[in-house]
Amino acid sequence: MTKAREIMTADATCIGAQETVLEAAKKMTQLGVGALPICGTDEKLKGMLTDRDIVVKVLGVGKDPASVKAGELAQGEAVTIGADDDAEEILRTMREHQVRRLPVIDGHTLVGIVALADVARALPDAKVGDLLQAVSQD
């Protein structure tokens, strides 16, 4: 069975918890991504910041993205997947938490990101369809 480390995008770039949301948006633009892991000064993963978070939780409520810190948008414990977890576990975790991207960790170290598109390329169509339906529910 396919493992997370085989299908992930390696070398995920973090946004520091103390960096601003404006800095995060610029980094997302430069990298051409819609989400960044939020990492603390202790190098531990604090959560994920998405472009939607920036729009809904910052811009949409009139906050200044130059003054809001990325870490303020981290919610609880980050949902992750282990580098050696198989595609079935990735599917289960995405479905359970209704997320489209998962940080991949090896021990406590962030080693990559696995996205719905990565899983879609690695699995049979029927399983991908079920997952897409599960994470698309509001």
Side-chain angles (χ1 to χ4, degrees):
M1 176 71 60
T2 305
K3 305 285 186 197
R5 73 172 71 247
E6 297 171 58
I7 61 172
M8 71 183 188
T9 300
D11 302 323
T13 301
C14 281
I15 187 72
Q18 294 304 312
E19 292 183 75
T20 69
V21 170
L22 180 59
E23 292 166 318
K26 288 178 181 179
K27 194 174 278 193
M28 285 180 189
T29 300
Q30 291 168 349
L31 297 170
V33 298
L36 291 171
I38 303 169
C39 296
T41 54
D42 57 1
E43 296 301 315
K44 289 193 178 172
L45 186 66
K46 303 299 181 192
M48 288 289 287
L49 177 64
T50 67
D51 47 8
R52 186 174 193 281
D53 291 334
I54 294 171
V55 171
V56 173
K57 298 175 183 174
V58 180
L59 300 175
V61 294
K63 293 183 180 177
D64 178 9
S67 62
V68 176
K69 304 294 184 198
E72 293 174 41
L73 300 180
Q75 298 176 338
E77 191 171 325
V79 178
T80 63
I81 197 79
D84 291 317
D85 288 344
D86 64 33
E88 289 293 330
E89 180 65 14
I90 297 168
L91 282 175
R92 186 196 64 72
T93 304
M94 285 182 165
R95 188 178 301 115
E96 181 180 321
H97 295 279
Q98 293 192 324
V99 296
R100 296 170 185 252
R101 301 170 193 92
L102 286 170
V104 180
I105 58 170
D106 193 354
H108 292 289
T109 305
L110 178 70
V111 294
I113 300 284
V114 65
L116 181 59
D118 301 321
V119 179
R121 286 188 289 272
L123 293 176
D125 291 345
K127 289 186 179 188
V128 174
D130 290 345
L131 174 61
L132 186 55
Q133 183 176 7
V135 299
S136 296
Q137 296 173 359
D138 284 320

